[in-house]
């Protein structure tokens, strides 16, 4: 579709969506009132900048029903992601919203070459995380035989993959690398692995990671991007050109803003990605700040799709970490340490060993606890680990260290050491 036509559709949908949010979502109406903007002021996408931003903190503040745009009896599903202080962000879906989301995932699968003859192994987590349910639904829509494996249990994954000859795998790039190693150990070579394509996302991965995955698994590796607040995976997807991800622009309107000032930036400039959902009913998120740093491009694509493309995310404008596919905020860790009466001299270290993230938290003991017996210390480490696991959904290795052993910095404390090279 010519870009001008896409923009016309976006404008029509935006006018309707703003009216819906204003009339049906008291939280967003308040934000618009505070900014002095009314639905009548929005005539098309050229007026988008007049609307207030929404942030993760807004969704947290309004927990659990912030941005709910339909009566609960019209909603059929929730998905969820962790918030910054333990309160999760809950996204609601009507059946229409699920259909729309699954269509987006179906487009991603088709762009990766899938059709009804394919066997699609979905090895993203199922449950509150959007990865499994989204690609599962997309795969059904394409008519592929779908293997709803979820993540983990590598032995069973490999057995189903090889016995049922899975041709497409959907999982995080780090899990794909791990599966590749295990296949090699089992004696498989890239040309005896049945896969032809992989759809990898939910965390950052580099061009070098892509080359390795393609070589080791004998596949073409496609990037897929999305976030729970906007629906889940399939907000954008790569085509055979592998040169950035096409944004499903008929449903999601993208902008790039200066993260410091909030000013919209022209196409081609690097800044924070902001999305407006154009036709979601139950969770009509408008101008949502993703905190992902990115660049958009309208350069024509050899695949013929005219949807704008986003580069691989180049970092974040907040301190969110993605560890083993789970979103983690340092503030969540700090909240647990405070609750458990620990010192706030701590350090978080993340690295990658054999394609798997390692996650260590070092906490200095106050001098009065330093004399504790080894038995007491290891019990305390275990209980801290359990408290962190319950807050974050993943348990780091906890190390209690003697007072004054964590290096002091002259400026801001260095709390996070991330040794993974995630961004190109
Ligand atoms: O990660 C949804 C998803 C599932 C995407 C499966 C792709 C595949 P959240 O858990 O809400 O949702 O995390 C969203 O993950 O803001 C990015 O920072 C990061 N992210 C997602 N996809 C990519 C990607 C899902 N392809 C957050 N490359 C986003 C880099 C990604 N970062």
């Amino acid at each position: 579709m010519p870009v001008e036509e896409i923009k016309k559709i976006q404008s029509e949908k935006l006018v309707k969506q703003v009216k819906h949010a204003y009339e049906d979502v008291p939280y967003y109406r308040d934000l618009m009132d505070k900014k002095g903007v009314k639905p009548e002021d929005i005539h098309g996408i050229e007026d988008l900048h007049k609307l207030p931003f929404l942030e993760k903190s807004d969704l947290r503040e309004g927990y659990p029903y912030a941005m709910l745009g339909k009566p609960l009896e019209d909603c059929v599903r929730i998905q969820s992601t962790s918030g910054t202080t333990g309160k999760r962000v809950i996204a609601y879906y009507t059946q229409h919203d699920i259909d729309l989301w699954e269509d987006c995932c179906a487009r991603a699968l088709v762009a990766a070459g899938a059709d009804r003859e394919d066997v699609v192994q979905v090895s993203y987590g199922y449950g509150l995380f959007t990865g499994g349910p989204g690609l599962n639904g997309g795969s059904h829509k394409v008519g592929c035989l779908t293997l709803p494996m979820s993540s983990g249990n590598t032995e069973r994954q490999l057995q189903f993959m090889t016995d049922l000859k899975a041709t497409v795998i959907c999982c995080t790039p780090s899990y794909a690398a791990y599966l590749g190693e295990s296949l090699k150990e089992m004696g498989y070579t890239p040309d005896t692995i049945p896969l032809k394509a992989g759809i990898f996302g939910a965390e950052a991965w580099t061009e070098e990671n892509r080359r390795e995955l393609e070589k080791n698994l004998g596949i073409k590796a496609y990037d897929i991007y999305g976030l729970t607040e906007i629906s889940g995976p399939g907000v954008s997807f790569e085509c055979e050109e592998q040169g950035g991800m096409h944004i499903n622009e008929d449903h999601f309107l993208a902008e790039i803003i200066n993260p410091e000032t909030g000013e919209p930036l022209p196409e081609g400039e690097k800044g924070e990605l902001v999305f407006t959902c154009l036709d979601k009913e139950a969770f009509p998120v408008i101008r949502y700040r993703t905190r992902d740093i990115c660049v958009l491009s309208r350069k024509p694509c050899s695949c013929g799709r005219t949807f704008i493309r986003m580069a691989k995310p180049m970092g974040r404008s907040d301190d969110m970490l993605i560890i083993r596919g789970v979103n983690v905020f340092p503030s969540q860790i700090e909240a647990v340490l405070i609750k458990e009466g620990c010192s706030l001299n701590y350090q978080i270290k993340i690295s990658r060993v054999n394609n798997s993230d390692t996650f260590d938290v070092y906490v200095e003991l106050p001098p009065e606890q330093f004399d504790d017996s080894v038995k007491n210390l290891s019990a305390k480490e275990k209980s801290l680990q359990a408290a962190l696991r319950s807050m974050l959904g993943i348990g780091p290795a906890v190390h209690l260290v003697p007072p004054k052993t964590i290096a002091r910095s002259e400026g801001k404390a260095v709390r996070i050491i991330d040794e993974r090279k995630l961004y190109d």
Side-chain angles (χ1 to χ4, degrees), residues 81 124 129-131 201-204 223-229 232-233 290 292 313 316 320 322 327:
T81 182
Y124 286 112
F129 180 58
T130 53
E203 62 181 6
D223 204 350
I224 184 167
Y225 169 90
L227 56 164
T228 316
E229 294 86 341
T290 65
D292 290 314
R316 295 204 36 103
M320 186 180 94
I322 303 183
N327 301 352

Side-chain angles (χ1 to χ4, degrees), residues 11-30:
S11 281
E12 287 164 9
K13 287 187 177 185
L14 179 68
V15 170
K16 269 202 209 148
Q17 187 69 327
V18 170
K19 196 162 172 281
H20 167 44
Y22 191 83
E23 286 172 2
D24 301 323
V25 185
Y27 190 90
Y28 200 69
R29 185 188 318 140
D30 283 352

Side-chain angles (χ1 to χ4, degrees), residues 79 93 100-101 130 227-235 252 277 280:
Q79 303 287 161
Y93 303 73
L100 174 165
W101 172 30
T130 53
L227 56 164
T228 316
E229 294 86 341
I230 305 303
S231 65
V235 170
F252 312 116
C277 296
K280 262 169 53 188

Side-chain angles (χ1 to χ4, degrees), residues 287-302:
R287 295 198 93 196
Y288 184 70
R289 293 189 60 165
T290 65
R291 298 286 173 183
D292 290 314
I293 301 296
C294 203
V295 174
L296 298 179
S297 164
R298 279 251 178 242
K299 230 174 91 198
C301 185
S302 61

Side-chain angles (χ1 to χ4, degrees), residues 76-105:
V76 297
R77 171 101 66 84
I78 64 153
Q79 303 287 161
S80 171
T81 182
S82 58
T84 45
T85 55
K87 274 193 183 161
R88 292 180 143 256
V89 170
I90 299 183
Y92 296 82
Y93 303 73
T94 60
Q95 188 56 51
H96 160 272
D97 298 336
I98 297 273
D99 279 342
L100 174 165
W101 172 30
E102 291 180 352
D103 279 346
C104 291
C105 290

Side-chain angles (χ1 to χ4, degrees), residues 316-384:
R316 295 204 36 103
S317 70
D318 65 2
D319 54 358
M320 186 180 94
L321 301 158
I322 303 183
I323 307 171
R324 289 180 222 136
V326 178
N327 301 352
V328 171
F329 288 91
S331 54
Q332 293 174 298
I333 296 177
E334 206 161 299
V336 172
L337 296 182
I338 292 171
K339 196 158 159 245
E340 299 290 315
C342 297
S343 104
L344 280 185
N345 287 319
Y346 69 95
Q347 213 159 43
I348 302 164
K349 195 168 156 197
I350 307 132
S351 195
R352 198 162 268 178
V353 178
N354 295 335
N355 294 306
S356 181
D357 290 338
T358 59
F359 179 20
D360 293 88
V361 176
Y362 297 84
V363 187
E364 264 185 24
L365 282 171
E368 65 276 13
Q369 285 178 20
F370 181 53
D371 294 333
D372 271 2
S373 69
V374 173
K375 199 168 134 214
N376 283 350
L377 286 183
S378 96
K380 192 154 175 52
E381 282 176 347
K382 282 210 180 93
S383 83
L384 204 50

Side-chain angles (χ1 to χ4, degrees), residues 40 42 125 132 134 306 366 408:
E40 306 80 80
I42 307 300
T306 49
R408 301 291 189 267

